[in-house]
Amino acid sequence: MPHGPVVRRRRLGEELRSLRHASGLTSRDAARLLGWHQSKVSRIETGASGVSSGDVARLLDVYGVRDAPSRALLEVLAGSAGRGGPGWWHAYRGLIPPHLGDFISLESQADAVRTLETSVVPGLLQTAGYARAVIRASLDGAPPDGTEPDGTSPDRTADHRAAALDSLDSLVEVRLTRQRVLRATRPPRFTAVLDEAVLRREVGGPAVMRDQVGHLQEMSRLPHVTVRLLPFSSGGYPGLTTSFAIFSFPATADLDVIVLDHLTSGLYLERREDLRTYGAAFRALQERALSPERSRDLMAGIRRDHARSSP
């Protein structure tokens, strides 16, 4: 499966090729007007090579694209800043893996995000205490004896795990900084469907969960945030074994991307049939889930349960 940067390059190339066709120019014409080799235009359009936001702006000028939102989106896909500021996550590039940096980039650019979570609260809705517990649990998943099936030095693996634990505060900071996107002037529409098990599991202990569920109740009242729960009584449902997120972008649905989250990486799906399948699955999930109001009622009951368990 392609990873995020490849998806973006290919999507960007397809959109630029469509705009060139609409302008009535051949790739040779575009290259001549820009003083480029024709092969450069071809590589950009096929996604074979990356392109700077400056070169995208020049192409859009040549193609006569004046619509500001369309230009901004395409320049963002080429690597410029999203809603979260001038690529703030790049300051953490030595700390976070590339697939997470790309996920954050998509998150900052999206016009709408739809997500199914079966095990944890979505990152954009986590409290600091819950985020710390989740990240710590994932770091604790490193091989305790440092062994690696590929023969990597045990000492090197143990050192890597120790360094990761030392980075816990910074990783929590990254997660909390991501949440600024929901407080932006033009925040994305964020819709989350959560398995009841997500809120029942005592990640970090009952006190942490009491605060997390309370925060979720508060966030769900924002006009652009919708949280719906799938109660245990709903039984099985589409996506029961796989969490996923669907990112939608302004101007064109052709740039939508699905991300399947894995322990060490993410898979990015872009085919129209994938988008149709996951879009239909998410609509089915919303039909089976409780309404936002009834979801908040269930959250209130779960929060009381955690409060009774708190020391």
Side-chain angles (χ1 to χ4, degrees):
M1 292 292 179
H3 53 79
V6 173
V7 170
R8 285 211 308 272
R9 284 204 308 268
R10 191 155 59 211
R11 289 292 181 136
L12 177 60
E14 291 173 355
E15 190 67 15
L16 290 173
R17 182 170 58 249
S18 176
L19 291 170
R20 177 175 59 75
H21 287 162
S23 73
L25 296 173
T26 66
S27 59
R28 186 184 300 274
D29 293 333
R32 176 177 51 80
L33 290 170
L34 290 164
W36 295 351
H37 290 294
Q38 184 181 1
S39 61
K40 178 174 179 176
V41 176
S42 297
R43 288 196 305 272
I44 290 171
E45 290 184 353
T46 59
S49 65
V51 57
S52 70
S53 56
D55 280 349
V56 167
R58 294 180 66 193
L59 285 166
L60 296 179
D61 288 341
V62 167
Y63 300 157
V65 178
R66 302 287 179 259
D67 180 64
S70 295
R71 291 181 65 99
L73 173 62
L74 294 174
E75 291 174 26
V76 161
L77 287 176
S80 59
R83 281 193 184 90
W88 60 264
W89 54 91
H90 291 296
Y92 298 91
R93 59 185 176 273
L95 177 69
I96 61 178
H99 76 273
L100 178 55
D102 198 69
F103 186 93
I104 295 172
S105 176
L106 290 172
E107 193 174 66
S108 74
Q109 301 156 17
D111 182 59
V113 180
R114 291 167 286 168
T115 184
L116 165 69
E117 287 291 352
T118 61
S119 56
V120 296
V121 174
L124 293 184
L125 302 178
Q126 293 180 4
T127 64
Y130 183 90
R132 178 176 295 275
V134 169
I135 295 170
R136 180 59 187 263
S138 66
L139 294 178
D140 286 346
D145 60 356
T147 57
E148 288 285 349
D150 61 1
T152 301
S153 166
D155 289 341
R156 182 181 303 173
T157 304
D159 289 345
H160 177 76
R161 182 171 180 271
L165 290 172
D166 290 340
S167 302
L168 181 58
D169 288 341
S170 295
L171 291 169
V172 172
E173 182 181 341
V174 169
R175 186 154 302 185
L176 297 182
T177 303
R178 282 172 55 193
Q179 297 175 3
R180 293 177 186 171
V181 72
L182 291 183
R183 301 289 188 180
T185 303
R186 295 182 299 107
R189 299 186 307 279
F190 187 81
T191 304
V193 175
L194 310 182
D195 192 304
E196 181 179 344
V198 170
L199 303 188
R200 292 288 184 186
R201 181 173 294 107
E202 292 189 351
V203 176
V208 168
M209 288 307 303
R210 178 197 62 209
D211 294 342
Q212 174 61 71
V213 176
H215 178 68
L216 201 60
Q217 290 175 281
E218 178 185 345
M219 293 297 293
S220 71
R221 291 188 174 90
L222 295 176
H224 56 284
V225 175
T226 301
V227 179
R228 304 181 68 170
L229 298 186
L230 283 162
F232 290 143
S233 59
S234 65
Y237 53 83
L240 178 62
T241 60
T242 306
S243 296
F244 64 87
I246 305 173
F247 294 96
S248 298
F249 299 89
T252 174
D254 289 340
L255 294 172
D256 290 1
V257 178
I258 301 159
V259 182
L260 308 182
D261 196 21
H262 290 258
L263 184 62
T264 58
S265 64
L267 295 181
Y268 292 72
L269 308 180
E270 56 174 333
R271 298 183 307 169
R272 286 184 174 84
E273 51 266 43
D274 291 327
L275 290 166
R276 284 195 297 269
T277 298
Y278 278 86
F282 197 81
R283 288 191 293 273
L285 287 167
Q286 289 181 293
E287 291 174 0
R288 300 191 65 166
L290 299 176
S291 68
E293 295 75 20
R294 291 185 62 198
S295 293
R296 278 193 289 270
D297 291 341
L298 180 54
M299 287 183 218
I302 294 173
R303 187 168 187 265
R304 285 193 295 270
D305 291 342
H306 287 309
R308 283 193 288 267
S309 300
S310 300

